[in-house]
Amino acid sequence: MTSKVLEPSGHPRPGTGTFSPFRYPVFRAIWIANLFSNVGATMQSIAAAWMMTELTTSHQLVALVQSSATVPILLLGVFAGAIADNYDRRQVMLAAQIGMLVVSSALAAMTYAGWINPVLLLAFTLSVGIGTALNSPAWQASVRQQVDPSQLPQAIALNSISFNIARSVGPAVGGVLLSIWGPPFAFLINAVSYIGLIGVLLWWRPAPRQIDRRPIIPAVRAGLSYCIGSQPLRRILTRGLALGIGLSAYQALLPTIVSDQLHGNETQFGLLLGLFGIGSIAAAPFVGPLRRKLHLEGILAVGSLLFVCVMSLLAEVHEVWLALPAAFGAGVGWVMILTSLNTAVQMRSPDAILGRCLSIYQAVTFGGMAIGSWAWGALADWRGLPFTLHSGSVFLIVSFLVLRVTAPLPKPGEGVIKT
């Protein structure tokens, strides 16, 4: 006879439904606080991207707003993962959140004073990106301290839903704020949004976990050795790099597509980003069932095909209303790809080095996005937006077909760590 498994609060372990992790008070509180923080971050990112279109006519500088937010994950991510494994993950998250609060407040103040130029704007988005790089591995690894291991896939999916709700609400609100009060107010709202999550983290007192503390460099080396030595993880990382480069063509060029090709304004830019978020929310509950039916290779193929259609459509349209279905489809493809990759990495990583494995995955995937954003922006300056968007579609198709043969994704159960 097996005993009933209880969560730390003493409640019975919940079932396996999509929303069952919400029965854990800690997960629920962090999820809600993260939602508001993500809304603020989304508002800041669209305000920064749109502000750059007003500061410069260079497609490359506009694309670099996306790069500056993600390149710290490439450069610092593996060290952030080692920090998340070596120290209390809650305290790491607190330090990152407080740092981003300070930086965002300074950005709001300097923008209000009229002291911002393209270089300073990139410097601030880079600084916020450093905070994100430090926070992300600790946050994602801490999910195992918030829910039962059996709830991990659902919890990951719900965290993705939180982010994508923010992607739908944040742009719509941000577009309105930009048109009425301008970027400084959007930056200020983001700074305020960190306060709730900081409060929840101060309230949360997780059970101490056993830490095998090592110096940072050997710890990073151990994480890299595991990821390189694990054939399933190595193939997932390879595919994440290629997909990150391909997907970044849409993310990095959308502000200039709206302003230059579609002749839209900040409200319409927010509308497109909002539809992206709505598409992500609509698709998120179906990602798990689809992944079980199509397996990892199949669901990434569907997500990639959606992005090929999206970029091919955007390359040809010149009216905002014609781009609306593309934005929705991009959101669906985005959540299919990134949620599936994240879950695949988490399920194949031991808890002792989970932060490092996640940070390496993020460094590879978001590093690919940073490199891709710069490359697609440079190509757009040289050959124009339509050519660049079609090139992004071709890259996705060719890289997917080649890597499906040379780096096939793990089959169901292959390399999964039993918890």
Side-chain angles (χ1 to χ4, degrees):
M1 182 176 178
T2 58
S3 60
K4 182 182 288 187
V5 179
L6 300 179
E7 60 175 311
S9 64
H11 297 296
R13 188 178 67 192
T16 57
T18 301
F19 301 101
S20 55
F22 281 141
R23 292 187 60 185
Y24 292 89
V26 168
F27 177 84
R28 185 171 63 244
I30 292 177
W31 190 91
I32 293 171
N34 250 320
L35 173 60
F36 285 101
S37 182
N38 286 335
V39 169
T42 305
M43 289 169 57
Q44 175 163 304
S45 67
I46 71 161
W50 192 260
M51 188 176 181
M52 187 64 86
T53 66
E54 296 176 340
L55 294 173
T56 178
T57 57
S58 168
H59 296 323
Q60 189 171 4
L61 279 174
V62 175
L64 281 175
V65 174
Q66 169 77 12
S67 288
S68 66
T70 53
V71 76
I73 300 175
L74 169 64
L75 300 178
L76 306 174
V78 291
F79 298 100
I83 291 169
D85 289 334
N86 267 354
Y87 298 95
D88 185 326
R89 289 166 181 162
R90 182 187 70 94
Q91 292 182 358
V92 174
M93 293 162 66
L94 264 174
Q97 295 294 322
I98 292 170
M100 289 188 284
L101 167 62
V102 171
V103 170
S104 296
S105 300
L107 173 59
M110 291 189 68
T111 305
Y112 181 77
W115 297 342
I116 288 293
N117 57 39
V119 174
L120 278 175
L121 183 57
L122 289 175
F124 274 111
T125 54
L126 182 70
S127 299
V128 173
I130 291 171
T132 302
L134 177 63
N135 178 77
S136 191
W139 168 57
Q140 295 194 57
S142 72
V143 174
R144 288 191 183 181
Q145 295 174 269
Q146 300 168 27
V147 301
D148 185 89
S150 66
Q151 303 291 300
L152 191 58
Q154 295 96 311
I156 295 169
L158 285 173
N159 280 335
S160 177
I161 289 173
S162 169
F163 178 75
N164 290 309
I165 289 175
R167 290 295 294 262
S168 62
V169 175
V173 176
V176 172
L177 292 180
L178 278 174
S179 61
I180 298 174
W181 288 296
F185 194 72
F187 297 150
L188 178 62
I189 292 293
N190 180 51
V192 172
S193 74
Y194 292 114
I195 295 173
L197 187 52
I198 290 170
V200 171
L201 291 172
L202 289 170
W203 161 76
W204 181 33
R205 289 291 185 269
R209 62 185 183 87
Q210 212 168 13
I211 299 174
D212 179 19
R213 189 165 294 171
R214 300 182 181 186
I216 295 297
I217 298 301
V220 168
R221 192 182 301 121
L224 288 170
S225 297
Y226 183 85
C227 289
I228 293 170
S230 168
Q231 198 174 93
L233 273 181
R234 190 169 66 244
R235 298 199 300 264
I236 293 169
L237 294 174
T238 302
R239 302 296 287 273
L241 173 64
L243 285 165
I245 293 172
L247 301 186
S248 66
Y250 173 86
Q251 293 284 356
L253 297 176
L254 187 61
T256 53
I257 292 169
V258 175
S259 64
D260 294 359
Q261 184 169 307
L262 304 180
H263 307 292
N265 56 32
E266 57 268 68
T267 303
Q268 291 164 328
F269 177 48
L271 176 61
L272 286 173
L273 287 174
L275 281 170
F276 179 99
I278 291 170
S280 300
I281 296 166
F286 303 101
V287 170
L290 272 175
R291 188 168 56 246
R292 288 190 289 272
K293 184 177 289 187
L294 301 176
H295 307 313
L296 194 53
E297 195 79 68
I299 197 166
L300 293 188
V302 172
S304 299
L305 182 60
L306 273 170
F307 263 94
V308 168
C309 296
V310 163
M311 290 193 286
S312 299
L313 176 61
L314 286 178
E316 301 300 327
V317 301
H318 296 277
E319 299 286 342
V320 171
W321 69 271
L322 291 172
L324 300 181
F328 182 88
V332 174
W334 181 269
V335 78
M336 281 184 172
I337 292 169
L338 292 188
T339 300
S340 297
L341 286 173
N342 188 297
T343 303
V345 171
Q346 291 225 30
M347 301 303 289
R348 289 166 177 83
S349 304
D351 186 67
I353 59 169
L354 177 59
R356 278 162 282 181
C357 292
L358 284 169
S359 67
I360 291 166
Y361 154 70
Q362 290 183 332
V364 169
T365 303
F366 288 92
M369 290 182 187
I371 295 167
S373 295
W374 169 80
W376 299 124
L379 186 60
D381 276 339
W382 178 42
R383 295 296 301 269
L385 288 170
F387 179 86
T388 304
L389 289 166
H390 284 308
S391 298
S393 297
V394 171
F395 177 87
L396 275 174
I397 294 169
V398 172
S399 64
F400 194 94
L401 292 176
V402 170
L403 291 175
R404 184 164 188 173
V405 175
T406 59
L409 289 162
K411 295 177 181 177
E414 183 183 352
V416 171
I417 302 295
K418 303 296 182 183
T419 54

